[in-house]
Amino acid sequence: MDVGLPGHVTRHIVPAPTPELVAGLTGALTAPGTWLKLCAAAEEVAPVLSPSWTVQEQEFMMTTATLPRITPKAPSGYTLAITTRAGVTVARLLTDSGEVAARGQFALAGGAAVVDQVETAAGHRRRGLGTVVMTAIAAAAVSRGARSGVLVATAEGQALYETLGWTLHTPMTAAVLAAADN
């Protein structure tokens, strides 16, 4: 998929990486800023990556078979804003001054909500804002026909999602192709 960000131009998601498939991809992909998201632990795929690929911190694909439909409530001092554009729904918790304190987004893929970019700003962590964002995402996704959900979590996010009923599906390894040395 095209991502179009500096350092993250394209992303290839590989649900069942084999050594032959990974070797073929890493040999064929040459654009710096190309990412591979491999459904496997780093120790399984890192040995077949060429030195030009950098393995990132371990991530975790998580799923939920049933999204809860709970009405989200923004804590005092925050306002919840939900917008949809081009098929992507974004939930943001804003401070009274309009600063984004926490956010997350999803798009639908069949009956599943694919959740992405859930984050809480450093000055607003440990206040339950991630839970509010995830509750808002789930409610919005259910209202648009989603039944289940999938996301890729960092180690820090994994604990939050588990408290919300998400379960580990597989470890994920992200690798990025570095720019060639000049």
Side-chain angles (χ1 to χ4, degrees), residues 132-175:
V132 174
V133 166
M134 287 299 293
T135 302
I137 285 172
V142 168
S143 74
R144 288 167 178 76
R147 295 175 305 280
S148 60
V150 62
L151 59 80
V152 175
T154 62
E156 298 83 30
Q158 183 181 16
L160 166 65
Y161 306 128
E162 286 175 345
T163 66
L164 298 174
W166 293 68
T167 58
L168 176 65
H169 180 73
T170 184
M172 292 288 294
T173 299

Side-chain angles (χ1 to χ4, degrees), residues 47-60:
V48 294
L49 294 170
S50 67
S52 55
W53 290 84
T54 304
V55 174
Q56 306 298 301
E57 287 191 36
Q58 187 74 64
E59 297 176 318
F60 308 91

